[in-house]
Amino acid sequence: MYNYQIHDQLRIKLKERGDAVSGRWGLFMLAYEAEEDSIAVSFDDLACLKLLPSVLPYTHQIETAKRVINELHGRALLADEVGLGKTIEAGLVIKEYMVRGLVKKALILVPASLVLQWTRELNEKFAVNAFAQRNEWSWTNYDVVVASMDTTKREPHRSIVLGQDYDLVIVDEAHKLKNNRTGNWQLVNQIRKKYLLLVTATPVQNDLKEVYNLIHLLRPGQLGNPTTFASTHVLDKRTPKNPQALRSALHTLMVRNRRKESQVDFTERHVEAIMLRLSQEEMELYDEVSGFIKEEYEYRSSNHRSLLPLITLQREICSSSYAALPTLEKMRKDPHLISSARERLEHIYEMAQSVPGYTKVNQTIDLAKQIADKLIVFTEYRATQDFLLYMLRRSGIAAVPFRGGFKRGKKDWMKDLFEHRAQVLVATEAGGEGINLQFCNQVINFDLPWNPMRVEQRIGRVHRLGQTRPVYIYNLATKETIEEHIVQLLQEKIQMFEAVIGELDVILGAKAFEKELLQTFVESRDQSEVKARLNVLSKRVQRTPSNHK
Amino acid sequence: MKDKKLQEFCKRYFMLVDATLHPADDFALSVELPKEVDKELTDRPFYWMWVETLGETPPPNFLYLLFDDLTPSPALLSALKDTQKPERVLPGSYRMQKIYQSAKNRGMFAVAYEPSTHLWPHVLMNVKVSFISDRQKDELLSYLYFVHTNIVKKIDMNQWKGKKLLDHQPSEAKIIPLPISFDHVFSAILEEVQHEINKRDQGWAQEASQRLKKELTELNHYYETMDNKESLEAERQLRKAEITWRMSPRVEVNPFQLALLYLSEGI
């Protein structure tokens, strides 16, 4: 029934000594006690818990690690909501397997910006001897290697990795494996591995097929073959036929802890919308841009041209006139542009350049002075970020930038500066991933992403485990613009989004959602129509089955 | 409490490997490491290669290990060498991992004597048994082999922990000389081990092999329903190998310690 294997190292060692036994009894007993302390006496308990030098995991994290090992048999999707400590859970799993001797060789694939952080956490919190991959010899020289996915999938690394056996592979930000035609997915699929952990807060973004692709890596056939999956589970791209059935099919491979259900006491969260009135010049510019977008929208829709630049422009103009300049510039150079549109664009461009004052920026500066404490200002746009930094500094407020594109060292540096020297951190969206700023409890959303998931990720940077104070969120919005509606939608109906985001079986496709919003704005004749249509939209989302046990 | 036990363990370790203990706070150990111990506890192979190539004698290394979060007393701290930074030692920390590893290597074999006049040779062997599928548990088994009668007996190591045995043959003792074939000792004890394991509950292995069978069946079924079976053959074989690797039940028997004991009574 089982394979029976006898190790002969001790016999070999003795032979090397010519079968002459020597050594001290005291050391013999000491070694026995060390061995006693190193073994795992039961299948079910976590043996690693007494061996964690500097981390005290939360109950839900311990339960998750146990479930992955005992019930999911070591191949699992860790899909906790943001801020619950998925890294700790993955760390517990790798540590436990190592303590038991089930894992010796492990590969941890993460975005490049997180390589050093993962390496540090595994070493410091879990005393796991992990190395950041540096060159082609790293793969064979070290047992536990943390590497960026992008490096790993390039030669010569790829061939070396595929030539080895891994006891455990962990993929962080695993939503980057949602498409099975990409190099990322194929790499992970081809690695020979015993255990596999996929870690992501957003296993489904736009299409149910994404979760199918993730699950395929863990256990092919769990959701049937592509045809039966489509017929059994998919109503349309984003709606499952039978959420209950899909949920139970996922249950044997997925752990998803939710903030609401975890026993972690998150501090209070206060959200406030600050409604501003634009200056006359700003309002004129806004109207001009909106008018242009409406026209272009009709033209582009009937000519099957991309609507993306319009969505971008509409969102940028809500942020600041500065943010819109690069897009306006690009559109101006578009050879397919009809000449009347070009003229109109030239005019808009000039108007944008000559706006005399900036309502939202002034408000931000006022707020920063009023709060007189650490503060993060989020914006989606580089141009807005630069401008905000400039204006804040000009008002005597120490501010530092933070971007996803920064190298790890620079990110740490900026975080340090923010913690010890500056009052304000001006961050773009991409600044979010994997950095923890719990020492700050004030957030201004200078502009809002049209995607509730991203709003949650922003807030999750500060409203997470380790935050000791209540968190204050200020959403800036200008009256009589799209923003007014967006803020209302994202803030007042946030309950709806919480319900939706939390559920894997109801998918709110970000891109499709953005498109739908734009459609609503350009097709409506007036504000009251916008309101009515948004109501319908939110009702429709709410109706999607999302009630869980 | 846990830390106190750890400190006791470390103190015993350092004394047994002939490190020099210097005055320290109650919750700390200040030790001067012999070169070989230093090599085992600090991870710097290149340093040692360099030192040895140049034929130099490096100054001895010191450690100041803390077993509590208290602050070391300033008087003792000021006496520390520059190289001796206070270091907090916790269960599972790198330092403890190294100390455990060093203890295990150094304590693999022993010879010991009972303080008595007539002594008979015995062989004590400790064996780690691991029950493994995708999960795993371990058990330590101990056996005593009486050379004179060729008898193997399972023993409880806890009862041996307080036993006072000597590292050197007592001068008045007479040893009964008996030839020992270690090949024979190993096979006799390992036979007992297998016998013991066969008596155990096999439920875990049954469960594991059923799960393995089910996984393989379902995997096969999945690939059989695919239109492009042929092109997926490599993937199928890989997944099959992974499942077998992960889930096959096995028992690993790992003898890890052996002592030659001269005891006053046979068994």
Side-chain angles (χ1 to χ4, degrees):
Chain A
M1 186 177 352
Y2 50 78
N3 191 324
Y4 191 84
Q5 228 175 313
I6 298 171
H7 293 276
D8 52 6
Q9 283 95 325
L10 190 74
R11 183 71 193 98
I12 292 168
K13 284 255 159 68
L14 187 59
K15 270 193 183 139
E16 284 168 7
R17 295 160 179 241
D19 278 354
V21 184
S22 64
R24 296 166 78 173
W25 176 248
L27 263 172
F28 186 87
M29 289 311 289
L30 196 74
Y32 181 79
E33 284 169 40
E35 195 67 51
E36 253 187 333
D37 198 42
S38 314
I39 62 165
V41 290
S42 100
F43 278 122
D44 303 306
D45 299 326
L46 292 188
C48 72
L49 288 181
K50 59 175 188 190
L51 300 174
L52 300 176
S54 56
V55 63
L56 194 63
Y58 285 91
T59 316
H60 74 268
Q61 294 167 336
I62 295 172
E63 290 309 315
T64 299
K66 276 190 185 171
R67 195 162 161 240
V68 167
I69 292 169
N70 294 332
E71 294 169 40
L72 311 188
H73 307 287
R75 283 176 92 111
L77 181 59
L78 284 185
D80 284 6
E81 288 180 353
V82 284
L84 286 169
K86 289 184 289 293
T87 318
I88 299 292
E89 292 166 0
L92 281 171
V93 172
I94 184 173
K95 181 69 179 180
E96 181 66 22
Y97 277 140
M98 290 185 84
V99 166
R100 287 175 185 258
L102 288 170
V103 165
K104 189 163 179 282
K105 198 152 180 63
L107 174 64
I108 294 128
L109 294 172
V110 306
S113 58
L114 299 183
V115 169
L116 291 179
Q117 181 172 334
W118 263 89
T119 312
R120 207 165 38 208
E121 290 215 353
L122 284 175
N123 276 282
E124 285 169 9
K125 291 193 176 144
F126 296 95
V128 166
N129 226 340
F131 290 85
Q133 184 269 340
R134 236 177 293 162
N135 51 41
E136 54 183 292
W137 293 282
S138 302
W139 310 111
T140 41
N141 281 355
Y142 305 116
D143 281 335
V144 181
V145 173
V146 184
S148 93
M149 179 80 90
D150 289 328
T151 307
T152 312
K153 71 184 178 205
R154 283 201 311 265
E155 294 298 348
H157 309 295
R158 183 188 160 84
S159 300
I160 301 171
V161 167
L162 292 182
Q164 305 195 79
D165 289 356
Y166 288 96
D167 296 312
L168 169 66
V169 171
I170 297 176
V171 184
D172 191 17
E173 307 291 343
H175 44 268
K176 288 172 182 156
L177 304 176
K178 65 187 178 186
N179 183 341
N180 63 1
R181 287 184 299 271
T182 56
N184 285 351
W185 190 92
Q186 278 155 11
L187 172 75
V188 174
N189 193 40
Q190 283 175 34
I191 295 176
R192 183 180 287 261
K193 59 216 169 284
K194 187 161 63 165
Y195 305 113
L196 174 63
L197 289 187
L198 303 179
V199 183
T200 172
T202 52
V204 185
Q205 290 174 315
N206 294 313
D207 191 335
L208 278 173
K209 213 171 171 318
E210 294 167 6
V211 80
Y212 181 87
N213 289 334
L214 286 175
I215 293 298
H216 183 91
L217 293 170
L218 297 166
R219 187 176 187 272
Q222 174 70 22
L223 297 174
N225 67 33
T227 326
T228 55
F229 173 70
S231 63
T232 325
H233 290 298
V234 183
L235 194 60
D236 68 43
K237 243 166 69 157
R238 286 181 298 283
T239 322
K241 239 177 207 165
N242 179 350
Q244 188 56 48
L246 181 57
R247 196 158 37 220
S248 64
L250 289 174
H251 186 71
T252 52
L253 286 173
M254 186 178 83
V255 185
R256 182 162 175 87
N257 292 308
R258 309 199 41 202
R259 294 169 75 109
K260 269 193 276 182
E261 290 157 7
S262 77
Q263 288 168 356
V264 180
D265 278 331
F266 286 100
T267 57
E268 267 178 83
R269 180 191 290 194
H270 304 279
V271 186
E272 186 186 334
I274 298 182
M275 302 306 275
L276 306 168
R277 190 168 291 282
L278 287 174
S279 68
Q280 197 187 338
E281 291 87 350
E282 286 176 307
M283 202 65 219
E284 275 168 14
L285 172 67
Y286 178 83
D287 287 340
E288 192 62 27
V289 171
S290 302
F292 169 76
I293 288 173
K294 270 189 194 194
E295 254 171 46
E296 267 298 288
Y297 180 83
E298 275 162 35
Y299 172 75
R300 290 189 181 221
S301 299
S302 53
N303 289 289
H304 303 289
R305 296 206 40 221
S306 167
L307 297 171
L308 195 66
L310 298 181
I311 297 180
T312 309
L313 185 62
Q314 182 73 69
R315 291 173 51 201
E316 285 170 346
I317 198 67
C318 292
S319 174
S320 72
S321 50
Y322 259 81
L325 288 177
T327 306
L328 286 170
E329 179 81 37
K330 212 156 100 196
M331 286 175 84
R332 213 157 56 147
K333 290 181 182 146
D334 183 354
H336 301 290
L337 206 63
I338 51 173
S339 62
S340 63
R342 192 184 315 278
E343 271 168 38
R344 200 161 174 190
L345 265 178
E346 298 286 353
H347 176 58
I348 290 175
Y349 193 84
E350 272 166 35
M351 281 176 84
Q353 279 181 312
S354 56
V355 171
Y358 305 91
T359 312
K360 276 169 92 179
V361 176
N362 295 340
Q363 180 64 42
T364 306
I365 293 168
D366 287 349
L367 263 175
K369 286 182 176 158
Q370 212 177 303
I371 289 168
D373 195 358
K374 302 284 175 203
L375 165 69
I376 302 173
V377 182
F378 276 110
T379 171
E380 293 252 272
Y381 307 101
R382 276 289 304 280
T384 306
Q385 184 187 35
D386 292 340
F387 187 57
L388 267 169
L389 283 165
Y390 168 75
M391 294 295 279
L392 281 164
R393 286 172 187 159
R394 219 182 59 170
S395 318
I397 296 168
V400 287
F402 197 92
R403 279 199 282 281
F406 284 169
K407 291 224 166 65
R408 185 75 220 175
K410 187 157 182 192
K411 278 187 178 170
D412 286 339
W413 183 34
M414 288 302 147
K415 185 190 159 185
D416 265 15
L417 279 178
F418 176 44
E419 191 169 3
H420 302 294
R421 300 274 176 83
Q423 188 200 341
V424 181
L425 183 79
V426 183
T428 54
E429 194 57 29
E433 234 166 50
I435 200 99
N436 305 328
L437 304 161
Q438 294 99 321
F439 56 85
C440 170
N441 70 331
Q442 309 269 357
V443 174
I444 293 181
N445 284 313
F446 188 85
D447 43 53
L448 275 176
W450 288 12
N451 173 352
M453 204 100 92
R454 296 243 291 279
V455 181
E456 194 54 40
Q457 269 167 3
R458 283 180 174 185
I459 299 172
R461 291 301 123 216
V462 298
H463 199 218
R464 62 192 298 128
L465 295 183
Q467 177 60 267
T468 52
R469 300 179 288 174
V471 170
Y472 295 89
I473 318 286
Y474 307 94
N475 294 323
L476 299 192
T478 45
K479 283 184 185 159
E480 289 168 47
T481 71
I482 287 185
E483 251 182 5
E484 186 176 354
H485 302 289
I486 296 285
V487 165
Q488 200 183 20
L489 196 69
L490 293 189
Q491 187 174 308
E492 288 173 20
K493 304 212 191 289
I494 199 85
Q495 293 305 322
M496 137 188 138
F497 289 118
E498 271 178 11
V500 173
I501 297 165
E503 292 301 323
L504 188 73
D505 46 24
V506 179
I507 293 91
L508 192 68
K511 287 207 181 94
F513 185 69
E514 285 177 2
K515 223 177 198 167
E516 197 144 355
L517 283 180
L518 181 75
Q519 205 177 349
T520 305
F521 297 133
V522 298
E523 289 177 3
S524 302
R525 273 154 310 199
D526 53 36
Q527 298 288 327
S528 58
E529 189 177 341
V530 174
K531 221 171 216 163
R533 286 180 66 157
L534 284 181
N535 261 333
V536 175
L537 176 65
S538 64
K539 283 223 178 69
R540 213 183 65 223
V541 179
Q542 276 170 313
R543 225 184 24 245
T544 329
S546 72
N547 39 325
H548 59 287
K549 296 165 281 180
Chain B
M1 186 60 204
K2 217 165 56 181
D3 291 353
K4 198 79 208 151
K5 212 176 132 202
L6 210 60
Q7 185 177 1
E8 266 322 295
F9 183 95
C10 290
K11 192 171 172 186
R12 272 167 65 203
Y13 166 81
F14 287 121
M15 283 163 58
L16 283 162
V17 299
D18 300 320
T20 314
L21 287 164
H22 293 288
D25 291 299
D26 287 348
F27 52 89
L29 290 175
S30 177
V31 295
E32 182 179 337
L33 300 178
K35 189 172 138 191
E36 290 310 312
V37 178
D38 192 1
K39 278 189 190 176
E40 286 166 43
L41 298 194
T42 50
D43 198 8
R44 38 180 193 172
F46 294 112
Y47 169 76
W48 289 110
M49 207 157 73
W50 178 70
V51 164
E52 278 162 16
T53 312
L54 292 179
E56 283 189 13
T57 318
N61 196 11
F62 293 84
L63 294 178
Y64 198 84
L65 306 177
L66 304 174
F67 295 88
D68 204 322
D69 292 326
L70 304 168
T71 324
S73 57
L76 284 162
L77 269 189
S78 61
L80 296 185
K81 309 267 183 311
D82 285 349
T83 53
Q84 198 180 10
K85 292 222 171 57
E87 172 189 341
R88 179 75 167 98
V89 177
L90 289 155
S93 60
Y94 280 126
R95 187 66 72 193
M96 273 323 293
Q97 289 180 23
K98 290 277 182 198
I99 290 175
Y100 271 16
Q101 201 47 56
S102 167
K104 286 180 192 175
N105 284 334
R106 286 165 175 264
M108 205 178 279
F109 300 104
V111 184
Y113 306 82
E114 232 174 15
S116 179
T117 47
H118 281 78
L119 295 173
W120 301 83
H122 297 66
V123 177
L124 167 65
M125 194 194 282
N126 289 323
V127 180
K128 180 165 113 173
V129 181
S130 303
F131 304 87
I132 308 170
S133 59
D134 60 275
R135 298 194 288 158
Q136 184 239 27
K137 73 172 181 183
D138 309 310
E139 193 177 332
L140 301 185
L141 299 176
S142 303
Y143 292 87
L144 193 63
Y145 173 89
F146 184 30
V147 180
H148 182 56
T149 55
N150 210 8
I151 286 175
V152 178
K153 199 179 138 193
K154 186 166 173 286
I155 55 165
D156 179 358
M157 273 306 271
N158 282 319
Q159 291 172 3
W160 287 67
K161 278 180 184 164
K163 235 180 198 133
K164 290 269 174 289
L165 295 180
L166 309 171
D167 285 332
H168 300 286
Q169 184 180 340
S171 50
E172 73 281 15
K174 201 178 141 214
I175 282 183
I176 311 342
L178 287 167
I180 304 172
S181 152
F182 282 106
D183 282 333
H184 180 71
V185 172
F186 270 83
S187 65
I189 291 177
L190 289 172
E191 200 177 308
E192 279 304 309
V193 173
Q194 183 152 22
H195 187 64
E196 173 71 26
I197 293 168
N198 286 339
K199 286 192 301 196
R200 297 295 166 90
D201 175 21
Q202 312 285 329
W204 70 276
Q206 274 161 0
E207 210 179 283
S209 60
Q210 273 163 14
R211 195 181 320 120
L212 171 67
K213 210 184 283 169
K214 178 168 167 281
E215 286 290 313
L216 290 176
T217 313
E218 290 180 14
L219 190 81
N220 255 334
H221 173 73
Y222 166 75
Y223 285 103
E224 284 307 319
T225 64
M226 296 295 281
D227 299 334
N228 50 339
K229 273 201 275 217
E230 287 74 24
S231 61
L232 290 172
E233 189 53 26
E235 184 186 297
R236 175 188 187 150
Q237 291 308 328
L238 180 57
R239 293 292 97 88
K240 198 174 143 193
E242 286 172 359
I243 291 172
T244 313
W245 176 23
R246 178 164 57 117
M247 294 190 158
S248 302
R250 64 181 197 275
V251 171
E252 286 187 11
V253 174
N254 191 4
F256 64 94
Q257 275 187 313
L258 182 145
L260 183 54
L261 303 181
Y262 292 95
L263 307 173
S264 59
E265 278 173 69
I267 48 172

